[in-house]
């Protein structure tokens, strides 16, 4: 018989070591399908490493891919800390991008110093409002937010497609369903000449530091952690649980909305229905790999981004599908979830005699 017993709270080195070990195990397991594909494992991983870090261009591409992952990872981590299961970051990302394009494509004529903050604010507001409804349904009616946030992803994406085929369609887009381009004054500044890396990365880093300080050093952060540990106990202690959920929901959605702002105002310059390759869903993996730590989210996002960018490069060099990156990410998540079980519990193998004694 197997019995699980609670462990003492894990030390910081162990909390850091477990996700790192999970990533290493995931890379080792991903070597198995590489061997079946006829690849040299060391050569394949060497190509992935070079593809993500082998040049200035490769490194900046990895950072560009990491920016939305940091923001969607923070959105998930903040919400999950309060046991508010936000699975809707993908839709919130699109809502933020839609609002950014609506404001930044000519609605307001203003200099960059005015227009850029306005675009960022409107994108964050749109993302936050998309999380307000599910949060109110959870707190007022007890509706499962996993279902509502997940379904909203599809509703928002369909709405975006409708807007791109209708009122927001670019008349100069040769019939393609895309929005009108953002004004130059609304675009986030580039961080390096002739590279795609943009100011959205700075926003992501600032957001990570801000959420870390919020959770560790403020009364509101304490309330979030208390509600996440035990909402009933927090309510009994006088903490406004409903208000805390609503604030967390708004901030979580706003962070995902900022990811959408970065993609349209920092990278593409216009909105399409395929803007995101799944950043909202990948953000959940990032948050889990980071153990819901805001600073850990940055490291996890860099790891996931390097896997995706490196896998693209390896795929071009070897002809093997870049879906290998999805396999590695999925394995890393599974390994982290399993390791989390062993972090919280000790496994005891109890013999038959011991079992009888326990039952008596």
């Amino acid at each position: 018989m197997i019995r699980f017993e609670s462990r003492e709270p894990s030390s910081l080195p162990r909390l850091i070591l477990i996700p790192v070990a999970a990533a290493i195990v995931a890379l080792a397991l991903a070597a198995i399908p590489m061997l079946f594909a006829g690849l040299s494992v060391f050569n394949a991983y060497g190509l992935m490493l070079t593809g993500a870090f082998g040049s200035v261009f490769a490194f900046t591409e990895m950072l560009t891919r990491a920016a939305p992952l940091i923001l969607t990872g923070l959105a998930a981590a903040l919400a999950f800390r309060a046991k508010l299961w936000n699975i809707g970051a993908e839709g919130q990302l699109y809502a933020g991008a839609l609002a950014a394009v609506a404001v930044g494509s000519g609605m307001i004529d203003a200099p960059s110093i005015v227009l850029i903050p306005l675009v960022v604010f409107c994108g964050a507001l749109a993302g936050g409002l998309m999380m307000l409804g599910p949060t109110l349904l959870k707190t007022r009616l007890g509706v499962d937010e996993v279902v509502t946030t997940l379904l909203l992803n599809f509703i928002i994406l369909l709405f975006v497609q409708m807007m791109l085929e209708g009122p927001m369609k670019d008349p100069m887009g040769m019939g393609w369903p895309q929005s009108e381009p953002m004004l130059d004054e609304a675009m986030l500044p580039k961080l390096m000449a002739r590279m795609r890396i943009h100011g959205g990365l700075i926003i992501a880093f600032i957001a990570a530091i801000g959420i870390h300080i919020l959770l560790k050093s403020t009364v509101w952060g304490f309330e979030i952690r208390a509600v996440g540990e035990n909402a009933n106990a927090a309510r009994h202690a006088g903490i406004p649980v409903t208000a805390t959920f609503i604030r967390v929901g708004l901030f979580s959605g706003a962070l995902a909305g900022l990811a959408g702002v970065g993609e349209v105002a920092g990278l593409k310059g216009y909105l399409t229905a395929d803007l995101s390759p799944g950043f909202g869903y990948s953000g959940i993996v990032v948050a889990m790999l980071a153990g819901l730590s805001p600073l850990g989210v940055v490291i996890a996002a860099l790891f996931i981004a390097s896997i995706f960018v490196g896998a693209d490069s390896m795929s071009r060099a070897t002809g093997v599908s870049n879906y290998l990156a999805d396999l590695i990410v999925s394995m890393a998540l599974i390994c982290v979830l399993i390791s989390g079980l062993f972090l919280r519990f000790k496994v005891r193998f109890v013999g038959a005699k011991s079992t009888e004694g326990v039952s008596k």
Side-chain angles (χ1 to χ4, degrees):
M1 178 180 177
I2 299 176
R3 186 171 67 194
F4 292 92
E5 298 178 356
S6 297
R7 287 182 182 272
E8 296 292 329
S10 298
S11 62
L12 181 60
R14 181 181 291 181
L15 291 173
I16 295 173
L17 181 62
I18 290 298
V20 173
I24 294 172
V25 171
L27 292 173
L29 291 174
I32 298 173
M34 286 185 187
L35 292 173
F36 279 104
L39 292 179
S40 166
V41 174
F42 292 105
N43 181 51
Y45 280 137
L47 289 171
M48 289 180 67
L49 192 64
T50 302
F53 301 98
S55 65
V56 174
F57 173 76
F59 185 65
T60 56
E61 283 297 296
M62 186 273 291
L63 291 177
T64 301
R65 183 72 70 92
L69 290 173
I70 292 173
L71 289 165
T72 56
L74 289 172
L78 179 63
F80 290 2
R81 275 293 187 94
K83 294 290 193 298
L84 181 65
W85 309 112
N86 180 11
I87 314 297
E90 184 79 355
Q92 293 148 21
L93 180 152
Y94 273 99
L98 187 67
V101 168
V103 174
S105 60
M107 177 185 291
I108 298 174
D109 185 14
S112 295
I113 195 171
V114 174
L115 198 53
I116 290 176
L118 184 61
V119 164
V120 170
F121 172 77
C122 290
L125 180 63
L129 290 177
M130 290 303 101
M131 189 58 193
L132 180 60
T135 306
L136 290 174
L137 287 173
K138 172 187 173 70
T139 55
R140 302 297 184 186
L141 301 175
V143 178
D144 188 350
E145 72 275 19
V146 172
V147 176
T148 53
T149 54
L150 182 60
L151 293 179
L152 266 177
N153 287 334
F154 302 102
I155 294 172
I156 294 170
L157 185 54
L158 288 171
F159 179 74
V160 168
Q161 291 173 337
M162 182 191 75
M163 296 299 289
L164 295 181
E165 293 283 3
M168 296 182 67
K169 187 173 183 177
D170 184 6
M172 304 298 293
M174 306 294 291
W176 291 101
Q178 65 185 46
S179 72
E180 294 187 42
M182 302 275 288
L183 300 175
D184 290 340
E185 291 81 4
M187 294 293 291
L188 297 174
K190 298 295 183 183
L191 300 183
M192 293 183 65
R194 296 186 299 276
M195 300 293 174
R196 300 203 305 164
I197 187 169
H198 54 82
L201 182 66
I202 303 300
I203 294 175
F205 285 150
I206 292 173
I209 295 171
I211 298 299
H212 173 76
I213 294 172
L214 170 72
L215 290 174
K216 294 293 184 181
S217 305
T218 67
V219 173
W220 186 36
F222 172 78
E223 292 176 350
I224 293 172
R225 289 183 280 116
V227 170
E229 289 293 331
N230 191 319
N232 290 328
R235 185 178 288 107
H236 183 74
I239 293 175
V241 174
T242 298
T244 299
F245 274 133
I246 292 173
R247 287 196 294 260
V248 168
L250 287 171
F251 268 81
S252 176
L255 288 165
L258 285 175
V261 173
E263 291 303 288
V264 293
L267 196 58
K268 294 191 72 171
Y270 56 90
L271 176 60
T272 59
D274 61 350
L275 175 72
S276 168
F279 288 132
Y281 301 111
S282 298
I284 298 172
V285 180
V286 169
M288 298 303 294
L289 284 176
L292 307 186
S293 164
L295 298 183
V297 162
V298 176
I299 299 172
L302 293 174
F303 168 72
I304 298 296
S306 64
I307 293 295
F308 281 131
V309 174
D312 287 341
S313 177
M314 185 269 292
S315 175
R316 290 191 295 269
T318 63
V320 173
S321 172
N322 58 2
Y323 283 110
L324 180 66
D326 296 323
L327 179 64
I328 295 173
V329 170
S330 301
M331 287 181 172
L333 178 59
I334 292 171
C335 292
V336 166
L337 293 176
I338 294 173
S339 63
L341 176 67
F342 290 104
L343 269 177
R344 295 176 58 193
F345 300 101
K346 296 178 183 178
V347 180
R348 298 285 190 188
F349 293 92
V350 183
K353 293 182 179 179
S354 300
T355 304
E356 292 176 5
V358 170
S359 61
K360 292 178 180 178

